[in-house]
């Protein structure tokens, strides 16, 4: 979900690791602000990689030239394709446009659960039309978000989210495309809805944040688990334990840019070029070679989304 990183949809906040008592003549508060505006340095290239979930428009990709610049930067470090994801109908139109502007971009469209109350007949018809485009490769992100109801006046209610989620599940099955899941603080209910409605052939758990038990259940069902920069955070021991369980053929990786920048750049702006940092962190957690992980996750993304890359 496109939201400020201090209140990201996956519950993470910036580190702001600024040493007190600095001698720069600039206040620590200002140094923190500067750091949060400073993009991470380019990582050592790691290829091949596919960013399974990003938000190009929120990263500044709102026209053909800016999308190309973002993807050129990503490709320079080994990221050869991205799936750019929608939260609302405006974002969905941006995502579809980006997928036409540059052949390295593909789109996923849906209404984010916090926007579930916007799923009227017109939105349904437009989403269905968008999904006839071969450059639109998934229904997403959809699911359940139990964090925002009660905290935001313009957030969909839980019943509205359940109704919209069921509709998106049916849509994914009707169009034969993967279902991309957003889950925040709704593990059990989300899995129960998927079981009740019947999962599509391909389900992708975007920015997986569950524990070993939830991971094991997703693996048993054959869902793909996609890991973002959160897997690199020092305090993410539960998530790291879950990451170790995932078989190679069910593993994906993503940035969720511009959010969830990996350690040691947590809190700074994220883009698809940052993906190699997360790939190496995930490989370290799993005790695997980074090149081996890169090959596996790229093959999985190409297969799951049906990418021509």
């Amino acid at each position: 979900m496109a939201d400020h990183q201090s209140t990201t949809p996956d519950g993470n906040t910036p580190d702001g690791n600024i040493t007190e008592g600095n001698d720069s003549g600039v206040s620590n508060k200002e140094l923190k602000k500067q750091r949060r505006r400073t993009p991470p340095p380019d990582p050592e290239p790691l290829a091949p990689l596919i960013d399974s979930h990003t938000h190009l428009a929120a990263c500044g990709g709102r026209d053909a030239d800016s999308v190309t610049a973002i993807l050129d930067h990503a490709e320079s470090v080994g990221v050869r394709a991205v799936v750019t994801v929608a939260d609302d109908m405006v974002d969905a139109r941006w995502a579809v446009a980006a997928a036409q502007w540059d052949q390295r971009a593909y789109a996923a469209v849906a209404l984010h659960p916090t926007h579930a109350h916007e799923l009227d007949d017109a939105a349904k018809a437009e989403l269905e039309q968008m999904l006839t485009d071969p450059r639109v490769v998934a229904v997403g992100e959809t699911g359940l978000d139990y964090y925002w109801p009660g905290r935001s006046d313009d957030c969909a209610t839980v019943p509205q989210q359940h109704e919209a989620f069921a509709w998106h599940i049916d849509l994914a099955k009707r169009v034969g495309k993967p279902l991309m899941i957003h889950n925040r603080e709704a593990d059990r209910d989300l899995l129960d809805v998927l079981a009740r409605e019947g999962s599509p052939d391909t389900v992708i758990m975007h920015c997986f944040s569950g524990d070993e038990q939830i991971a094991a259940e997703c693996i048993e069902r054959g869902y793909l688990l996609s890991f973002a920069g959160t897997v690199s955070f020092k305090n993410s021991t539960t998530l790291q334990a879950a990451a170790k369980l995932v078989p190679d053929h069910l593993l994906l990786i993503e940035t969720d840019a511009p959010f969830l920048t990996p350690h040691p750049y947590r809190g700074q702006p994220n883009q698809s070029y940052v993906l190699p940092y997360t790939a190496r962190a995930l490989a370290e957690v799993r005790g695997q070679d980074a090149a081996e992980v890169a090959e596996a996750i790229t093959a999985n993304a190409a297969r799951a989304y049906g990418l021509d890359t």
Side-chain angles (χ1 to χ4, degrees):
M1 177 182 179
D3 200 357
H4 192 281
Q5 188 156 346
S6 63
T7 53
T8 71
D10 302 286
N12 298 288
T13 56
D15 279 344
N17 294 326
I18 304 297
T19 303
E20 294 296 325
N22 74 83
D23 57 3
S24 65
V26 179
S27 71
N28 287 320
K29 183 176 180 180
E30 181 57 33
L31 286 174
K32 288 180 181 180
K33 288 182 179 179
Q34 291 176 9
R35 182 177 186 272
R36 291 174 185 172
R37 293 192 295 263
T38 303
D42 285 11
E44 181 182 348
L46 178 63
L49 288 174
I50 293 175
D51 188 351
S52 292
H53 186 117
T54 187
H55 299 270
L56 286 176
C59 292
R62 292 178 177 266
D63 57 42
D65 288 344
S66 56
V67 166
T68 295
I70 291 169
L71 298 181
D72 283 348
H73 194 180
E75 190 170 22
S76 73
V77 296
V79 182
R80 68 189 193 192
V82 309
V83 178
T84 188
V85 182
D87 292 335
D88 58 23
M89 293 309 301
V90 172
D91 216 26
R93 296 175 196 125
W94 282 117
V96 175
Q100 308 300 329
W101 290 331
D102 196 298
Q103 293 299 295
R104 295 166 295 185
Y106 298 84
V109 298
L111 285 182
H112 188 281
T114 58
H115 293 281
H117 55 303
E118 299 169 14
L119 188 63
D120 57 17
D121 288 344
K124 289 178 180 178
E126 187 172 359
L127 288 171
E128 293 193 24
Q129 179 60 38
M130 288 175 173
L131 281 153
T132 65
D133 188 328
R135 303 292 303 173
V136 180
V137 296
V139 176
E141 56 186 286
T142 181
L144 299 176
D145 189 311
Y146 286 2
Y147 176 82
W148 283 110
R151 290 182 170 90
S152 172
D153 292 339
D154 59 356
C155 178
T157 65
V158 168
Q160 288 170 329
Q161 291 187 31
H162 278 249
E163 182 178 356
F165 186 26
W167 183 84
H168 283 97
I169 293 170
D170 178 68
L171 176 63
K173 290 189 286 189
R174 285 190 283 114
V175 301
K177 293 186 178 182
L179 183 72
M180 181 189 290
I181 299 294
H182 170 98
N183 170 26
R184 188 167 184 188
E185 299 182 7
D187 290 342
R188 186 69 264 154
D189 282 2
L190 186 139
L191 291 176
D192 287 348
V193 171
L194 281 166
R196 182 177 68 246
E197 298 295 329
S199 300
D201 290 339
T202 302
V203 174
I204 297 165
M205 304 299 286
H206 142 64
C207 192
F208 183 78
S209 58
D211 59 17
E212 291 173 272
Q213 181 178 351
I214 296 299
E217 185 166 347
C218 290
I219 292 164
E220 183 178 357
R221 297 185 186 193
Y223 299 167
L224 289 114
L225 279 65
S226 183
F227 291 89
T230 44
V231 77
S232 72
F233 295 171
K234 292 182 178 180
N235 61 348
S236 293
T237 53
T238 299
L239 179 60
Q240 291 166 359
K244 295 176 183 178
L245 297 181
V246 185
D248 286 354
H249 72 284
L250 294 179
L251 193 65
L252 292 175
I253 196 169
E254 63 178 81
T255 58
D256 197 20
F259 317 110
L260 307 183
T261 314
H263 177 80
Y265 306 106
R266 185 177 179 182
Q268 296 176 235
N270 200 6
Q271 269 195 20
S272 291
Y273 81 89
V274 180
L275 193 62
Y277 288 118
T278 299
R280 289 189 170 93
L282 180 61
E284 183 177 356
V285 165
R286 289 168 57 85
Q288 292 178 285
D289 179 73
E292 177 186 358
V293 169
E295 289 284 353
I297 58 184
T298 299
N300 295 341
R303 181 184 69 252
Y305 290 119
L307 304 187
D308 185 22
T309 183

